[in-house]
Amino acid sequence: MAELDPDVEAALHYEERQSNLQSKFQGTAKIYLRHLKFACDKQNVAGNLHLDAKNVSRLLQIYHIEGCHRLDPANHIPALIGPDILKRCLIRSGVSKVDLLRRHTPPFLELEDDIVLVYLHGRHRIAAALDYLLPLDKWWTVDLYSEDLSTTAQQEIREEYTNARNFCDGDIFRYLRYGQIKQDDVEEKRWLARLTECKRKDLKQLQKRVELKSFNTSLDKLLPFVGFWPALQIGTFHRILNLKCPEAGP
């Protein structure tokens, strides 16, 4: 039998993984943070890093600027739940499994006091939320998967959720500019919040400098070309700002 093309084989493997994950997906719900425990807190799971205080501080700053957007699917966290616990929670909460599948309008899922669900990704996000949210508002949106999910599948979920939030400087700049062009203040603040204070300062100075108008215009002309932006490093903008001959800089 002829061997499959590597690209075709990879595509088939991806489809198989997604089908397996989908079969284990139980739905989405709002769950109070006191019922959530990070996987690494329970056992040593490969691929999970220690809590980074700087990253928590960065996320907390973002929350204060733009809010935490808990209902945005990109901000959901994945967690594991057993069938018996899920059944009791549904009865306790007065909701059905169908309700859990309405991902954009998830219901609250009330858990018994001693129940804790292990979540697989989003440790820094939840740590920042514990500090940011008011005492009676400490909940997050959780994508629930069967607890019998294989170790390999759990790692794939971690990677999938990590990659979904991996915005490079170029992506941030591109979406930020589209927000500015549309004069959408909310969208502009949302993307500005993803930059460090130093990068925000450099970017604002760059956009204000009249002598660099042609450079900014050139960047705007490149916005439609998605492949260009991963190479952009906003942290290097200060070099352009320090040029004595800005017309030669671009």
Side-chain angles (χ1 to χ4, degrees), residues 56-114:
V56 173
S57 179
R58 178 186 66 84
L59 288 170
L60 189 57
Q61 184 181 45
I62 290 175
Y63 293 171
H64 282 298
I65 293 175
E66 62 162 81
C68 56
H69 300 290
R70 291 171 286 183
L71 292 175
D72 185 337
N75 290 330
H76 293 185
I77 63 170
L80 305 177
I81 190 168
D84 292 338
I85 292 177
L86 178 59
K87 184 178 180 179
R88 295 201 306 270
C89 289
L90 291 175
I91 295 173
R92 185 184 181 93
S93 307
V95 299
S96 68
K97 274 197 171 184
V98 174
D99 294 325
L100 294 183
L101 296 177
R102 299 184 179 121
R103 202 161 187 245
H104 294 283
T105 55
F108 263 106
L109 200 58
E110 294 185 25
L111 281 70
E112 295 158 336
D113 291 341
D114 60 340

Side-chain angles (χ1 to χ4, degrees), residues 102-230:
R102 299 184 179 121
R103 202 161 187 245
H104 294 283
T105 55
F108 263 106
L109 200 58
E110 294 185 25
L111 281 70
E112 295 158 336
D113 291 341
D114 60 340
I115 297 298
V116 176
L117 304 183
V118 171
Y119 66 96
L120 306 175
H121 177 74
R123 188 184 190 189
H124 295 88
R125 198 173 308 161
I126 297 303
L130 282 167
D131 193 356
Y132 172 74
L133 296 171
L134 296 174
L136 297 179
D137 194 40
K138 292 184 184 294
W139 60 266
W140 205 265
T141 311
V142 180
D143 291 335
L144 299 166
Y145 292 85
S146 298
E147 66 177 3
D148 62 350
L149 201 64
S150 69
T151 302
T152 300
Q154 290 182 33
Q155 183 59 27
E156 288 171 350
I157 285 180
R158 291 189 191 94
E159 293 171 356
E160 180 179 331
Y161 278 75
T162 299
N163 291 336
R165 300 296 298 165
N166 189 21
F167 295 109
C168 64
D169 277 7
D171 291 331
I172 295 172
F173 178 85
R174 184 166 175 265
Y175 289 121
L176 169 64
R177 280 301 297 142
Y178 277 131
Q180 291 175 331
I181 291 169
K182 292 186 297 182
Q183 296 184 330
D184 186 335
D185 292 340
V186 173
E187 190 72 5
E188 179 182 357
K189 288 180 180 179
R190 180 182 180 186
W191 291 103
L192 268 178
R194 285 171 168 76
L195 297 174
T196 63
E197 184 177 354
C198 184
K199 288 182 179 180
R200 287 199 299 270
K201 181 179 178 181
D202 285 348
L203 181 56
K204 288 179 179 179
Q205 288 185 5
L206 183 75
Q207 293 181 328
K208 286 181 179 179
R209 293 271 286 269
V210 176
E211 65 271 27
L212 291 174
K213 183 178 179 180
S214 61
F215 176 73
N216 289 314
T217 300
S218 297
L219 287 178
D220 283 348
K221 289 180 180 178
L222 293 170
L223 291 177
F225 303 100
V226 180
F228 168 80
W229 296 100

